[in-house]
Amino acid sequence: MAQFDTTRVAGRTTAGVRGADIDAGLRAHMNKVYGTMSVGMLITFAAAWALSGLAVSATPTEYQIGANEYLTGLGYALYASPLKWVVMFAPLLFVFGFSAGINRMSAATAQLVFYAFAAVMGISLSSIFLVFTGYSIAQVFLITAIAFAGLSLVGYTTKKDLSGFGSFLIMGVIGLIVASLVNLFLQSPMMMYAISVLGVLIFAGLTAYDTQNIKNTYLAHAHGGDSEWLGKAAIMGALNLYLDFINMFMFLLQLMGNRE
């Protein structure tokens, strides 16, 4: 009996050590996810801010866009020439290519590609400084950050399985893309408003869903100890949360932003 009790206690101790190792590993994994995402956000902001300064000239140039606003040659190329379509759709093509090719990359290469994608996204988003006031952009960014933190915390801590919402939310994203493409030609304010409201709701749901999925993916593969695979999983998790944040920010900006 004493021998049985000793074995049982030893088993519980071993299980407790494994559980503590997994908890520590999960915290490190999530820190890497949020850290990589944060660096990507800083790169995006830096690229957008730098190009916004080049896009509008304080002195008259050839390309006038308002009473006291003028595009530089670079600004014209980015926002008024056919190149604007390349700038608009480059991030979408980039992220599809990245997602398809990440399994053939090392974790270090995947991280560099993610940062390159963040820079491309910044170029694409730089036009918001032409459309919305700086104060409005900062205000909506802060609101998005608070909402994102709360939703991600919910996804990390909730005991409810959110996996059933995944297919529904992805179908919603596809619907948003199609509706947005259609509205490029219709230019309907009411349709844009509806798209923005639905976009905020869908990406709010995806923030919680993706956070839980990142956590569950780590827990499912933690015993394997494949650090290279887990490194790439952290980068993909950062990419998903980055896209959730950026899209929620853009849709909130459409709803709440003050235009120039």
Side-chain angles (χ1 to χ4, degrees), residues 12 77 132 142 150:
R12 287 179 177 176
F132 299 96
L142 179 60

Side-chain angles (χ1 to χ4, degrees), residues 32 35-36 39 98 105-116 235:
K32 179 173 177 59
T36 303
V39 173
F98 180 41
M105 304 176 190
S106 67
T109 299
Q111 189 166 11
L112 289 175
V113 173
F114 170 71
Y115 292 150
I235 294 163

Side-chain angles (χ1 to χ4, degrees), residues 26-27 30 34 151-158 208 211-212 215:
L26 178 59
R27 286 194 296 272
M30 297 304 294
Y34 289 118
L151 291 162
S152 192
L153 181 62
V154 168
Y156 185 82
T157 58
T158 184
T211 302
Q212 186 181 80
K215 175 183 176 182

Side-chain angles (χ1 to χ4, degrees), residues 40 43-44 90-96 98 110-124 238-240 242-243 246:
I43 292 172
T44 297
L92 189 61
L93 297 175
F94 204 117
V95 75
F96 283 143
F98 180 41
Q111 189 166 11
L112 289 175
V113 173
F114 170 71
Y115 292 150
F117 164 72
V120 171
M121 180 65 82
I123 295 171
S124 180
L239 173 64
N240 289 332
Y242 169 93
L243 291 172
I246 289 292

Side-chain angles (χ1 to χ4, degrees), residues 26-80:
L26 178 59
R27 286 194 296 272
H29 183 74
M30 297 304 294
N31 286 339
K32 179 173 177 59
V33 170
Y34 289 118
T36 303
M37 175 199 163
S38 298
V39 173
M41 292 295 301
L42 288 173
I43 292 172
T44 297
F45 175 78
W49 180 260
L51 284 176
S52 72
L54 291 172
V56 179
S57 175
T59 58
T61 63
E62 183 179 353
Y63 310 110
Q64 185 171 6
I65 59 172
N68 297 305
E69 292 182 308
Y70 300 85
L71 290 177
T72 63
L74 175 59
Y76 178 83
L78 288 177
Y79 307 126

Side-chain angles (χ1 to χ4, degrees), residues 27 39 48 101 125 135 148 158-159 168 179 205 229 242 249 255:
R27 286 194 296 272
V39 173
L125 294 182
Y135 176 80
F148 177 88
T158 184
K159 302 300 182 182
F168 173 77
W229 189 93
Y242 169 93
F249 166 71
L255 291 171

Side-chain angles (χ1 to χ4, degrees), residues 123-206:
I123 295 171
S124 180
L125 294 182
S126 60
S127 61
I128 65 174
F129 290 97
L130 298 177
V131 180
F132 299 96
T133 64
Y135 176 80
S136 177
I137 291 171
Q139 185 181 48
V140 173
F141 184 89
L142 179 60
I143 292 170
T144 306
I146 294 171
F148 177 88
L151 291 162
S152 192
L153 181 62
V154 168
Y156 185 82
T157 58
T158 184
K159 302 300 182 182
K160 181 178 177 60
D161 183 10
L162 302 178
S163 59
F165 295 99
S167 298
F168 173 77
L169 292 169
I170 294 302
M171 289 300 295
V173 172
I174 294 172
L176 285 175
I177 293 172
V178 172
S180 297
L181 290 174
V182 170
N183 204 43
L184 281 176
F185 301 98
L186 297 180
Q187 294 294 310
S188 168
M190 287 301 297
M191 188 172 182
M192 188 66 247
Y193 180 82
I195 290 171
S196 298
V197 171
L198 289 174
V200 170
L201 295 176
I202 288 171
F203 283 101
L206 277 171

